[in-house]
Amino acid sequence: KLLRFKSMAEKVLRLSDLYSAYTLNQWIFKTTRTRELMTALPPEDAVRFPFNPQSIDWKDFWCNTHIPFMRTHVLGEDFATVTVSSRL
């Protein structure tokens, strides 16, 4: 049990270190230039490359894409063993 706790603590520390640059700063993200580029696309390209930041389901992205990817590819966990409840 102590080894399991140590392993979990090490993972938390690795993630803390990894995300500290993002969480210890104040960031403002703007999409102004990207939107300008998208409106300049010919209609057929706009259909082919849709971009609408308001349509992004951020909870779904974090829970079902980003966090599982990080756990699998950064922490080396077997994705098959990660349950949905532990992703939330």
Side-chain angles (χ1 to χ4, degrees):
K1 194 169 186 170
L2 185 58
L3 288 175
R4 185 169 186 255
F5 179 76
K6 181 182 178 205
S7 174
M8 285 178 24
E10 288 171 346
K11 287 179 184 182
V12 168
L13 290 173
R14 282 182 64 199
L15 287 175
S16 174
D17 185 51
L18 179 69
Y19 284 104
S20 65
Y22 303 100
T23 58
L24 299 177
N25 293 296
Q26 292 185 7
W27 302 97
I28 298 173
F29 295 96
K30 296 182 180 182
T31 60
T32 307
R33 290 186 180 192
T34 306
R35 290 170 190 259
E36 290 170 358
L37 286 169
M38 292 305 294
T39 60
L41 284 176
E44 62 274 8
D45 287 342
V47 169
R48 189 172 173 201
F49 305 106
F51 177 73
N52 182 2
Q54 289 83 9
S55 70
I56 298 170
D57 181 343
W58 288 105
K59 181 179 179 182
D60 178 70
F61 168 75
W62 283 101
C63 292
N64 296 312
T65 303
H66 182 77
I67 293 172
F69 177 90
M70 296 301 286
R71 291 181 71 176
T72 302
H73 300 287
V74 174
L75 298 178
E77 294 182 20
D78 179 3
F79 183 73
T81 64
V82 177
T83 63
V84 172
S85 62
S86 67
R87 291 186 207 163
L88 300 177

